[in-house]
Amino acid sequence: MRILFILLLTGCMTLLQAQEGLNATQYKALKQLRIANPERETYLVFDEAGFILDRYEMKPASVFRFSDSLERRLYLYLVYPADREDTVGLFLYYQRQDQVIALPVPGQTADKAAWALYLDDLKYTGEAEPGWLATVSFLLSKELAGLLEGKTAAMEDEDDYEYCFPSTARVTMADGSQRPIAEVQPGDLLLGADPNTTAATLVTGVDLHRRAVISLFLIVGLESSAPLATSQEELPVLRQLQLTGNHPVWTARGRVEAKNLLPGDQLLVWAGNDMAPLVLLAVEPDGGTVGEVWTLNTEGGQAFWVENILVLPK
């Protein structure tokens, strides 16, 4: 298995066309790097070590769950020297609960001492940390498979990663306050919901995706249960939400992606102290463009409220 893994890795690094590899001193320096918040930190400059880490294709973590039910996350970065743009290797950052493992992956022209350190890590870390070698092997094999098909990364459709909202979209927190999604952090408590009840739900991860142009849909609906402050009568309130076309929302007919919503669909809104029906008026595919989008992962895949509209996790 390790021989096959090394062949896959060598092929992957060849296809990435690394200009210069690592020496043993650099490898050891990379091993010591720590990332405070890998869910958010996609571009890091380590001046003292002399390296830049850049998230590979801006992809979120690969998440693994084995029979022990423990979540393992693996993040993949490109490694650049701080003084030039040549790729010198890869950097894998592994998390399981409080356990963190950094694995530099030498470029194809790395010296033998760096490769020897890398092979030692595969052997001894793989023996000490259950599941670690399997996650590393899977991720690199997956990326290599994509490169062999002539594409630039793991070959999913671009939409596979963009179940998201613009940075200013307001999320309802457990205490009833609202916060821009870009300011929500793992560990925060949201107001979660299903069609019948609400409860606090934990944010387990935050995903950020950047691209030159990301197109959004705009959904507009009418909610008739929220009274205006100047009137005792219940008057209609217009609600709207920008989101990527493939992000699912809750409807009376089940889970539906935004691009497949229809006028007349019934959604749910949070009216300040209770849930209320929202009748969809329009779905606009030309809902604007942005350069970055965000989404949240919640404990147990709990639904949550964005711009007071109930959305489902990706």
Side-chain angles (χ1 to χ4, degrees), residues 170-173 175-180 270 305-308:
R170 297 173 302 165
V171 177
T172 303
M173 311 304 291
D175 63 2
S177 64
Q178 292 192 319
R179 188 182 303 174
W270 181 246
W305 307 90
V306 180
E307 297 295 350
N308 294 308

Side-chain angles (χ1 to χ4, degrees), residues 224-236:
S224 60
S225 64
L228 298 179
T230 57
S231 172
Q232 297 301 314
E233 299 179 3
E234 293 187 357
L235 299 177

Side-chain angles (χ1 to χ4, degrees), residues 14-15 28 41 47 74 102 131 143 176 180 193 233 267 272 277 294 304:
T14 299
L15 288 168
K28 292 176 182 178
E41 296 178 278
D47 287 326
L74 192 61
E143 297 304 330
E233 299 179 3
L267 283 63
W294 303 74
F304 56 99

Side-chain angles (χ1 to χ4, degrees), residues 36-242:
N37 188 349
E39 285 295 316
R40 287 180 174 268
E41 296 178 278
T42 59
Y43 187 87
L44 302 103
V45 179
F46 294 92
D47 287 326
E48 186 173 343
F51 289 110
I52 295 171
L53 302 183
D54 188 10
R55 182 72 62 80
Y56 187 39
E57 295 294 316
M58 290 301 300
K59 291 184 179 179
S62 294
V63 181
F64 304 85
R65 292 181 181 87
F66 300 120
S67 59
D68 60 9
S69 299
L70 298 177
E71 181 178 278
R72 294 163 171 85
R73 288 178 171 261
L74 192 61
Y75 303 84
L76 178 60
Y77 293 82
L78 295 173
V79 180
Y80 301 94
D83 58 353
R84 65 183 191 277
E85 295 185 359
D86 294 340
T87 306
V88 297
L90 299 174
F91 183 84
L92 293 167
Y93 200 71
Y94 168 94
Q95 287 185 324
R96 177 186 60 78
Q97 298 177 318
D98 294 333
Q99 174 79 326
V100 173
I101 299 172
L103 178 70
V105 180
Q108 60 180 342
T109 57
D111 66 30
K112 292 181 179 180
W115 277 106
L117 291 171
Y118 172 76
L119 291 173
D120 278 350
D121 276 333
L122 290 183
K123 174 177 172 55
Y124 297 113
T125 306
E127 291 173 351
E129 172 62 20
W132 175 82
L133 189 57
T135 66
V136 171
S137 301
F138 176 84
L139 180 57
L140 290 178
S141 300
K142 183 180 178 185
E143 297 304 330
L144 175 60
L147 289 167
L148 289 173
E149 290 179 16
K151 302 179 183 179
T152 58
M155 300 295 99
E156 289 88 349
D157 189 353
E158 290 177 343
D159 287 344
D160 287 348
Y161 291 109
E162 292 178 0
Y163 296 78
C164 303
F165 306 92
S167 61
T168 55
R170 297 173 302 165
V171 177
T172 303
M173 311 304 291
D175 63 2
S177 64
Q178 292 192 319
R179 188 182 303 174
I181 193 169
E183 297 178 11
V184 176
Q185 300 279 348
D188 286 344
L189 289 175
L190 306 181
L191 182 65
D194 61 35
N196 301 306
T197 61
T198 60
T201 184
L202 184 70
V203 178
T204 59
V206 180
D207 294 339
L208 165 64
H209 309 292
R210 291 192 179 100
R211 189 173 299 162
V213 177
I214 300 173
S215 298
L216 300 174
F217 276 63
L218 175 68
I219 61 175
V220 181
L222 197 64
E223 179 250 308
S224 60
S225 64
L228 298 179
T230 57
S231 172
Q232 297 301 314
E233 299 179 3
E234 293 187 357
L235 299 177
V237 174
L238 203 63
R239 305 281 189 181
Q240 61 183 33
L241 172 64
Q242 288 177 295

